[in-house]
Amino acid sequence: MARKTSLPGMLDAVEREAVEFLREHEPEEGYQLCFSGGKDSIVMRNLADIASVKYQALFNCTTIDPPLIYKFIRFYYPNTVWHFPKHNFFELITVKGPAWRKVRWCCKELKESGDIPGLKGILIGIRAEESRQRAERRRIEPARAKPKGTTFYAPIHAWKEWQIWEHIEKWGLPYPSLYDEGYHRIGCKLCPMTFGPSPAAQARLEREKARYPHFVKRFEEALRIWFEKDTARRKEKGEKIWHENFE
């Protein structure tokens, strides 16, 4: 595909830099673009289109994504590759136990489990502003849990949230309506990384529980199954049962 040489004059400095970054590091076989349907990956995908680089977008279905996201991706981005895990989130809970801030097996098992064979340059939409951990990551770094030679590229790592929304408005990009309802992030439902102890965070949690009661019911049932199995195993070995470890 020919470069869109008429576009750079329409870009501001931060957009132009991201486009040049994408072009500079474009693998011969093209990128794998991690696409969640959220605002950051929408902008990253648009920048890849502006840069005219080769890529294939991949959506890793976690099985606890907002249903609206599935409809959004299918309607606006139908040429996205979908990857489905062998076991859904609730099935994994019955084996691995609850996912929480210090035991985040869910990301590895669900959000990072799919890959497109042959594409070792992976575009990710992380931004330094989002967390201390992401701020400490480099813009180009080896993907340690992926096949040898695989590299992560973060073209919008330095972008601020206002720049993301400005880009979306400027280019008229569609985005999930959940943002208009006050959601700041629209990833996995009931994610422990999203809800802290503050009153505002707890209020968001209660809103999530009210909006997705079927997720709550399946969550509670999966935890019950895991707890019963874990308790039986611990009793057989003479170990403290799960809740005693917190007393």
Side-chain angles (χ1 to χ4, degrees), residues 92-107:
L92 289 170
I93 283 181
T94 66
V95 177
K96 295 179 174 292
W100 52 301
R101 287 175 177 266
K102 293 185 178 181
V103 185
R104 296 174 61 189
W105 54 258
C106 45
C107 290

Side-chain angles (χ1 to χ4, degrees), residues 88 181 201:
N88 67 42
E181 297 178 31

Side-chain angles (χ1 to χ4, degrees), residues 140-185:
I140 303 174
E141 61 182 13
R144 296 178 178 84
K146 302 291 184 180
K148 186 177 180 180
T150 302
T151 303
F152 284 138
Y153 297 93
I156 59 172
H157 188 255
W159 284 42
K160 304 298 184 183
E161 184 172 357
W162 68 265
Q163 292 172 312
I164 293 293
W165 285 114
E166 186 175 80
H167 182 90
I168 287 174
E169 182 178 359
K170 173 181 176 180
W171 293 89
L173 304 177
Y175 60 87
S177 60
L178 289 171
Y179 288 116
D180 293 331
E181 297 178 31
Y183 283 83
H184 177 64
R185 304 181 70 173

Side-chain angles (χ1 to χ4, degrees), residues 119-131:
L119 301 184
K120 292 189 176 183
I122 303 179
L123 295 177
I124 53 177
I126 66 169
R127 294 185 296 109
E129 184 184 52
E130 295 177 296
S131 67

Side-chain angles (χ1 to χ4, degrees), residues 77 118 124 142 186:
Y77 298 96
I124 53 177
I186 56 173

Side-chain angles (χ1 to χ4, degrees), residues 6-235:
S6 62
L7 281 172
M10 300 170 58
L11 306 178
D12 62 24
V14 70
E15 292 171 325
R16 188 177 299 109
E17 192 281 332
V19 165
E20 292 306 316
F21 176 87
L22 288 162
R23 291 177 174 175
E24 178 183 356
H25 300 288
E26 179 185 8
E28 183 177 351
E29 68 278 7
Y31 293 107
Q32 171 181 301
L33 188 150
C34 295
F35 188 72
S36 68
K39 64 183 186 305
D40 297 332
S41 61
I42 289 170
V43 168
M44 180 174 65
R45 187 166 182 166
N46 190 56
L47 289 167
D49 288 335
I50 293 170
S52 294
V53 295
K54 292 183 293 184
Y55 72 85
Q56 178 61 68
L58 174 70
F59 173 61
N60 275 309
C61 178
T62 69
T63 68
I64 52 170
D65 309 284
L68 181 148
I69 291 295
Y70 299 152
K71 296 178 181 179
F72 175 81
I73 294 175
R74 288 192 175 105
F75 185 82
Y76 289 105
Y77 298 96
N79 59 336
T80 300
V81 174
W82 288 53
H83 175 265
F84 298 91
K86 292 181 180 180
H87 302 283
N88 67 42
F89 176 73
F90 306 104
E91 292 170 340
L92 289 170
I93 283 181
T94 66
V95 177
K96 295 179 174 292
W100 52 301
R101 287 175 177 266
K102 293 185 178 181
V103 185
R104 296 174 61 189
W105 54 258
C106 45
C107 290
K108 180 179 179 181
E109 295 285 345
L110 302 171
K111 293 193 72 172
E112 303 166 4
S113 60
D115 284 303
I116 298 176
L119 301 184
K120 292 189 176 183
I122 303 179
L123 295 177
I124 53 177
I126 66 169
R127 294 185 296 109
E129 184 184 52
E130 295 177 296
S131 67
R132 179 175 57 83
Q133 291 80 4
R134 292 192 171 188
E136 292 174 351
R137 292 185 63 173
R138 291 172 292 168
R139 200 177 186 192
I140 303 174
E141 61 182 13
R144 296 178 178 84
K146 302 291 184 180
K148 186 177 180 180
T150 302
T151 303
F152 284 138
Y153 297 93
I156 59 172
H157 188 255
W159 284 42
K160 304 298 184 183
E161 184 172 357
W162 68 265
Q163 292 172 312
I164 293 293
W165 285 114
E166 186 175 80
H167 182 90
I168 287 174
E169 182 178 359
K170 173 181 176 180
W171 293 89
L173 304 177
Y175 60 87
S177 60
L178 289 171
Y179 288 116
D180 293 331
E181 297 178 31
Y183 283 83
H184 177 64
R185 304 181 70 173
I186 56 173
C188 304
K189 297 299 96 187
L190 306 177
C191 174
M193 295 302 295
T194 305
F195 306 106
S198 70
Q202 288 301 302
R204 290 197 303 270
L205 175 59
E206 292 304 315
R207 181 176 64 171
E208 288 275 276
K209 291 165 67 175
R211 181 167 189 148
Y212 303 105
H214 56 296
F215 281 151
V216 176
K217 183 177 180 180
R218 295 188 68 186
F219 206 123
E220 292 174 343
E221 177 62 15
L223 285 174
R224 182 189 65 77
I225 294 172
W226 168 78
F227 183 79
E228 289 177 354
K229 292 194 300 184
D230 187 71
T231 298
R233 178 185 65 80
R234 288 176 179 273
K235 285 183 177 180

